[in-house]
Amino acid sequence: MDTPPAASRLHARVLDELGVAICGGTFPPGTVLSVDELVERCAVSRSVVREVLRVLAALGLVEARRRVGTRIRPAADWNVFDPQVIRWRLASDQRLAQLRSLTELRAAVEPQAALLAAQRTSPTDAADLVALAAKLWAAAESGDEAGFLAADIEFHRRVLLHSGNEMFAGLHELVAESLTGRHHYHLMPVHPDRRALTLHADVAQAIQRRDADRARAAMTALTQQIHDELPEVEGRAPSQRSAL
């Protein structure tokens, strides 16, 4: 893999630093950001700071006002569906709030996506989903964390895709950020919960059998388990945390 140019790495570093600071409340809404202060704080050029502020403005996090400067916008104005904003919130002390929001969104969408997938997916795609559920189980049994995460992300992406609803399919990056964030911040154990593994298999098999109601019920149970375990995450050591 080619190494990104130094300028690109510098831009990415400053963007992430400011994004996390805004999403985590270090710079609360209404704060006015000075280009000169950011140049000193981040040890970069004015051109880098200006480009970073343009990206943040495009995401709804800041706005430039004449004679005032660049002001942090309220969280209600942010593009909360952008994977980068989700990533920054997960990297901040707003992590649990972001996970809760993502889980509630998944609970609203994924069961219906599973129902539609059972009605609309092809036999070949359904068989591939069953095979992917088996791969997920094998990765969990062998303690292959990276393999488990990759299979889990792909499983949920395919359910959303096979729903045949392009708007559901477009949410796959949000689900991927949720799963990746839980993995990265040690909110998942080495050996995932066996009931969650069984529910993944139940979803896949119901879709293959074109049992729409059963597919929706299994995915509802899976997202409900995720939701129910969220309060238990806070305050635990990573090795004690349950699978979400």
Side-chain angles (χ1 to χ4, degrees), residues 26-78:
T26 301
F27 295 139
T31 301
V32 175
L33 300 177
S34 162
V35 171
D36 290 335
E37 289 177 1
L38 292 176
V39 165
E40 183 176 353
R41 175 189 175 100
C42 302
V44 294
S45 68
R46 293 174 67 86
S47 62
V48 170
V49 169
R50 289 197 183 99
E51 179 56 31
V52 166
L53 291 177
R54 278 195 287 270
V55 174
L56 294 174
L59 294 172
L61 273 66
V62 303
E63 61 180 346
R65 291 189 175 182
R66 181 178 289 183
R67 301 190 185 91
V68 175
T70 300
R71 186 189 300 272
I72 307 299
R73 300 178 69 181
D77 295 338
W78 300 350

Side-chain angles (χ1 to χ4, degrees), residues 16-169:
D16 282 341
E17 285 180 6
L18 293 182
V20 172
I22 293 170
C23 291
T26 301
F27 295 139
T31 301
V32 175
L33 300 177
S34 162
V35 171
D36 290 335
E37 289 177 1
L38 292 176
V39 165
E40 183 176 353
R41 175 189 175 100
C42 302
V44 294
S45 68
R46 293 174 67 86
S47 62
V48 170
V49 169
R50 289 197 183 99
E51 179 56 31
V52 166
L53 291 177
R54 278 195 287 270
V55 174
L56 294 174
L59 294 172
L61 273 66
V62 303
E63 61 180 346
R65 291 189 175 182
R66 181 178 289 183
R67 301 190 185 91
V68 175
T70 300
R71 186 189 300 272
I72 307 299
R73 300 178 69 181
D77 295 338
W78 300 350
N79 183 0
V80 294
F81 285 93
D82 188 279
Q84 201 160 31
V85 175
I86 292 171
R87 206 171 303 130
W88 291 333
R89 291 194 70 200
L90 288 172
S92 75
D93 59 6
Q94 298 300 309
R95 184 173 307 139
L96 267 295
Q98 177 66 97
L99 281 175
R100 187 171 295 107
S101 294
L102 287 168
T103 301
E104 290 170 354
L105 176 66
R106 292 179 62 188
V109 171
E110 289 195 80
Q112 183 66 17
L115 179 147
L116 293 174
Q119 296 173 339
R120 298 173 175 174
T121 195
S122 70
T124 299
D125 287 338
D128 288 344
L129 192 63
V130 171
L132 189 57
K135 183 177 180 181
L136 187 72
W137 194 294
E141 290 291 296
S142 66
D144 180 2
E145 294 182 70
F148 177 86
L149 176 63
D152 202 14
I153 289 172
E154 182 63 10
F155 181 91
H156 290 278
R157 185 190 74 82
R158 290 195 192 188
V159 172
L160 291 167
L161 176 64
H162 296 331
S163 73
N165 183 307
E166 75 282 0
M167 300 190 77
F168 283 3

Side-chain angles (χ1 to χ4, degrees), residues 58 80 224 228-229:
V80 294
Q224 186 62 48
D228 290 347
E229 291 182 5

